[in-house]
Amino acid sequence: MTNTQQDFKRRQLLLGGLALSGLGLAGCAGMAGSGPSLGRVVVIGGGFGGSTAARYLRLWGGNIDVTLVERNAGFISCPISNLVIGGHKQMADISRGYEGLKALGVKLVQGEVVAIDAAAKSVRLADGTSLSYDRLILSPGIDFMLEGIGGLKAALDSGQVLHSWKAGPQTVVLRKQLLDMPDGGVVAMSIPKAPYRCPPGPYERACMIASYLKAAKPKSKLLVLDANPEITSKKGLFEKAFKQHYDGILEYRANAELKEVSNGGKLAKLEFEDVKADVLNVIPPQRAADLAVKAGVVNINQRWSGVNWLTMESTAAPGVHVLGDATFPGPGMPKSGHMANQQAKVAAAAIIQLLKGEAVNATPVVMNTCYSFVTARDVIHVASVHQYDATEKTFKPVPGSGGVSAAANQVEGRYALSWAQNIWDDMLG
């Protein structure tokens, strides 16, 4: 067996089974709908964290009344969405419905949450509906910190500038902007200082935009303006990809923090230079979503939610469990869809035990695998395993458990697409 095959088998085992074995719950919890009612759980947010939590509460928890509140009618995946921007996939390829959750007995409510009363254990929707709960799971994702970049809010509100960092309509519009740009035009892409959602995501996007320009508009140029001192994830592999595939098209600039947007979204002002662009894609600095702020769970650096890692329960609001990108990460823990999926299983298992009045698992294990496309078919990955440390009360990387690809290759491209299908099935059924 080759090293690549061994690595793939190891990572697939981690994806499919580690969360179950680490949580110590598989095989001992009742199936959905069986046994006496344990309580009511409301889940807010139907992404990687919220959908997974809702599904596994029903799979593992016996007769738990689970309600999932999501503003959108369907799920659109951020992972793989950069391929849509590059013209290698369509929106239909990254979109799924919630039918599988409904079939499992999850109650779906499409609506906008406007208030959370943690003391009264109730959630209020924009239409006036009130939902009570015994436990609340909040998986709200991220929102943007726009106040530090002059003119950015107005440019985003007008549609002149796009972030496209929440997969959906802006994904389509950014693709159209690239299609409409004349050959010989300039695309400028701004990356915020870490931490932000999906550490390697901006560099994958740069590759996908450059791949389109190389094929369709070879006289054009992509300027990658990174506020960080260097590439924050898979550095050597991305540097190699930039040079090997996009030399002369993609120009990477470190320590290039965006200060202001002007001239109808065509001018990016940095500290020491101005950059003119036909298409400006700005990924703003990020924090936990506005809903987390309203819920009173943002208590670290005025940006993130602190949690008890054994249960994912907020350290600021009892009975509220926070998942995914909104949390303040443990050491080496990325803000990724896969990690949100794993955290959701920790939360689901813990909530079941708490509703039963029993002890939660004291030794959970979670993992992460993140694939990045550097061409339409060549892919690189980073993987890690995290074990709960009772002394430090956080998840810590397991020494020797992770790592990155030796090189980009098309075999991993197939693995990446399989990973996406598998995790969408895992969270949505």
Side-chain angles (χ1 to χ4, degrees), residues 288-325:
D290 290 341
L291 188 57
V293 177
K294 293 179 182 178
V297 299
V298 174
N299 60 343
I300 297 181
N301 300 332
Q302 297 182 317
R303 293 179 69 178
W304 311 111
S305 297
V307 296
N308 175 347
W309 291 109
L310 280 179
T311 62
M312 303 303 300
E313 187 170 4
S314 166
T315 55
V320 180
H321 303 254
V322 187
L323 308 177
D325 297 337

Side-chain angles (χ1 to χ4, degrees), residues 40 79 144 277 289 390 418 423:
R40 293 167 296 182
F144 301 114
S418 295
I423 201 166

Side-chain angles (χ1 to χ4, degrees), residues 10 12-13 47 96 131 144 152 165 254 270 306 323:
R10 174 179 63 82
Q12 288 302 99
L13 174 63
R96 296 280 295 266
L131 303 173
F144 301 114
L152 180 56
W165 212 236
L270 312 180
L323 308 177

Side-chain angles (χ1 to χ4, degrees), residues 258-278:
L258 182 64
K259 299 295 185 180
E260 185 180 344
V261 174
S262 63
N263 193 28
K266 302 297 184 182
L267 185 66
K269 294 188 175 183
L270 312 180
E271 186 172 1
F272 299 112
E273 66 173 320
D274 294 346
V275 174
K276 295 180 180 179
D278 298 280

Side-chain angles (χ1 to χ4, degrees), residues 79-94:
I80 311 298
S81 66
N82 282 331
L83 275 72
V84 177
I85 293 171
H88 307 301
K89 291 289 181 183
Q90 301 297 319
M91 288 299 290
D93 298 320
I94 62 171

Side-chain angles (χ1 to χ4, degrees), residues 200-201 204 234 238 370-375 378-382 416:
E204 179 192 59
K234 311 176 193 175
F238 276 117
C370 180
Y371 293 97
S372 301
F373 283 78
V374 297
T375 73
D378 294 291
V379 167
I380 56 181
H381 83 270
V382 62

